[in-house]
Amino acid sequence: MKKSYIILIISLFIFIISLIFPAVYTKDSEVYGLACFLLGWAEMDGGGIAWLANPLLFVTAIFLLLKKIKISAVLSLLTFCLTLCFLSVNEITVDEAGHKSLITGYGYSYFLWMASALTLFIGILILLKYPEKLQTDTPV
């Protein structure tokens, strides 16, 4: 299996696992990764821009599959930086009515989400340092 596929599988596996754990703790509740993934786009004001790391992660994967390694390296670094932006967010929406609550801590989901982006970035750096050799068909 090609290195690029292995890198993508590992990164996407970590991303999917991140969806099942709590991502953020507030005084009265916890918000799970799946809820942050599905509803994070609605928090674009303030530090909610970090949610853009999600679609950017998938765009990076597409460029990696298209063998545009340098473009995917830049995008993966930007993706990781966007995950770090979430640390600047002080409050999060906790219900459908739009009530916000102060963030008191970060759960496994947040750190797995970051690890997914970081895994993709490091994997792409490895591909830049040790590029995959093109397989040529040899006549038998």
Side-chain angles (χ1 to χ4, degrees):
M1 185 180 288
K2 291 184 175 186
K3 285 189 267 185
S4 58
Y5 293 144
I6 293 170
I7 292 164
L8 278 177
I9 289 169
I10 292 170
S11 178
L12 292 177
F13 177 75
I14 294 170
F15 179 82
I16 291 169
I17 294 298
S18 77
L19 298 176
I20 62 174
F21 293 106
V24 176
Y25 296 103
T26 64
K27 181 181 174 188
D28 300 322
S29 65
E30 54 192 28
V31 181
Y32 280 81
L34 183 60
C36 290
F37 175 68
L38 294 175
L39 302 173
W41 60 269
E43 298 240 1
M44 283 299 168
D45 58 335
I49 195 166
W51 181 84
L52 291 174
N54 294 315
L56 195 56
L57 182 77
F58 294 107
V59 170
T60 303
I62 291 168
F63 275 104
L64 183 58
L65 290 173
L66 294 173
K67 297 180 179 33
K68 305 288 186 186
I69 306 299
K70 291 180 181 178
I71 294 172
S72 59
V74 172
L75 292 176
S76 65
L77 176 61
L78 183 58
T79 300
F80 180 67
C81 290
L82 282 173
T83 65
L84 292 174
C85 287
F86 191 66
L87 292 172
S88 69
V89 177
N90 295 327
E91 56 185 16
I92 191 167
T93 304
V94 292
D95 59 22
E96 298 82 13
H99 295 107
K100 294 189 179 269
S101 187
L102 287 176
I103 294 173
T104 59
Y106 299 93
Y108 292 125
S109 180
Y110 173 67
F111 297 108
L112 286 168
W113 181 52
M114 283 178 50
S116 172
L118 186 60
T119 300
L120 188 60
F121 177 61
I122 291 172
I124 291 171
L125 289 181
I126 291 170
L127 285 178
L128 283 172
K129 178 123 175 107
Y130 306 104
E132 296 177 326
K133 294 182 173 93
L134 295 175
Q135 295 178 350
T136 58
D137 295 329
T138 56
V140 178

